[in-house]
Amino acid sequence: MNKKLAAALSGGAVLVLALSGCSDDEGNKVDDWAKTFCDQAKPQIQKRADAHQIIISTAADSKPAEIQAADSKAFQDIADADRAMAKAVESAGAPPVENGEKVQQDAIKELNATALAYEGLKKQVDALDPTNQQKFADGLQGVADGLTKIEKMDQNALSKLEEGELGQAMAKQPGCQKPTASTPPKAGGSASPKPGSTASGSADKGSDSSDSPDSSEPKGKASTKPAKKTSSAKTEE
């Protein structure tokens, strides 16, 4: 029954810090900024990874009420993490790159907007009636559709920070390394990640991997993407 949400997550709703070249001349200041941000962002990156795993884990054989509670908590956790990451960007100051102040302000604005959007999904989930499985499943489809739209917001939230020398510097920081979800897959659920991708395997025929330009991420790449991805399970009828 949580199949569509897991599918949507397999296409995105996570941030990936992409890399390109880094100038040695500017490296020190950029590295300092990256350390300041990544040190503060690390627990939020982990919190997001754990929340995504909760949604995926409940896609197995959970009852509607369990799915509702899990998804509601996960959406709120992601919203809280995004809002905290916006504060981390603000606290770190404008990055020492071209148009750094605009890059900073855009990231703050988009992270806060994404947080609000996830809180909207939480309210949508909370309003579902878990006592009517068919209506609950239909409502959950609407939530999954909303999650697909939020994916694009999530992808844009830190896109400028991920570019060029700044992305390279962030990749060096432990706090911005790809996290491993600390929430174990639910017993009886599907726990096998898709081959060829650490966290973006298709969980449903309707999913895409729009947020995953790096289907095979190199070691050391900065990322807020969970290290392992479980595919969705059958929809509970």
Side-chain angles (χ1 to χ4, degrees):
M1 189 175 292
N2 218 24
K3 183 178 181 180
K4 293 294 183 181
L5 292 188
L9 285 177
S10 73
V14 287
L15 307 177
V16 180
L17 303 179
L19 308 179
S20 49
C22 179
S23 168
D24 290 337
D25 294 338
E26 300 174 348
N28 290 338
K29 290 183 179 180
V30 174
D31 285 345
D32 288 345
W33 188 95
K35 176 173 172 44
T36 299
F37 168 71
C38 292
D39 285 352
Q40 296 181 64
K42 182 177 181 178
Q44 310 310 325
I45 293 171
Q46 184 65 56
K47 189 172 187 177
R48 287 172 56 93
D50 292 344
H52 288 126
Q53 184 60 52
I54 287 172
I55 293 176
I56 296 160
S57 296
T58 57
D61 57 356
S62 301
K63 296 178 180 179
E66 294 172 339
I67 293 174
Q68 183 180 45
D71 290 351
S72 177
K73 182 182 185 304
F75 289 144
Q76 185 61 62
D77 284 350
I78 296 171
D80 291 345
D82 279 354
R83 193 166 281 112
M85 288 179 69
K87 291 181 179 178
V89 174
E90 182 177 12
S91 176
V97 294
E98 185 177 0
N99 298 319
E101 186 173 348
K102 184 178 186 303
V103 169
Q104 178 197 31
Q105 293 305 314
D106 286 349
I108 292 171
K109 179 180 178 181
E110 289 166 2
L111 281 166
N112 282 325
T114 305
L116 285 174
Y118 275 110
E119 287 175 339
L121 281 186
K122 177 189 183 304
K123 292 178 181 179
Q124 195 173 340
V125 168
D126 289 344
L128 298 179
D129 180 6
T131 65
N132 186 318
Q133 290 195 9
Q134 185 56 54
K135 288 184 178 181
F136 184 81
D138 292 342
L140 208 61
Q141 175 62 60
V143 173
D145 292 341
L147 182 57
T148 300
K149 294 177 182 179
I150 295 177
E151 287 179 11
K152 293 180 175 60
M153 296 174 64
D154 242 344
Q155 293 169 36
N156 293 333
L158 294 178
S159 60
K160 295 301 181 182
L161 295 181
E162 299 163 3
E163 294 179 354
E165 58 190 319
L166 197 55
Q168 181 78 18
M170 292 166 75
K172 300 175 183 177
Q173 299 300 322
C176 281
Q177 296 300 311
K178 181 173 57 183
T180 299
S182 60
T183 303
K186 182 177 178 180
S190 175
S192 300
K194 295 289 182 180
S197 175
T198 58
S200 59
S202 176
D204 183 84
K205 65 181 179 181
S207 68
D208 64 22
S209 296
S210 59
D211 128 308
S212 183
D214 56 314
S215 62
S216 179
E217 295 180 87
K219 181 177 181 182
K221 181 167 183 177
S223 174
T224 62
K225 180 173 287 190
K228 287 201 174 184
K229 188 73 181 175
T230 60
S231 58
S232 66
K234 295 182 179 178
T235 302
E236 181 181 14
E237 295 297 335

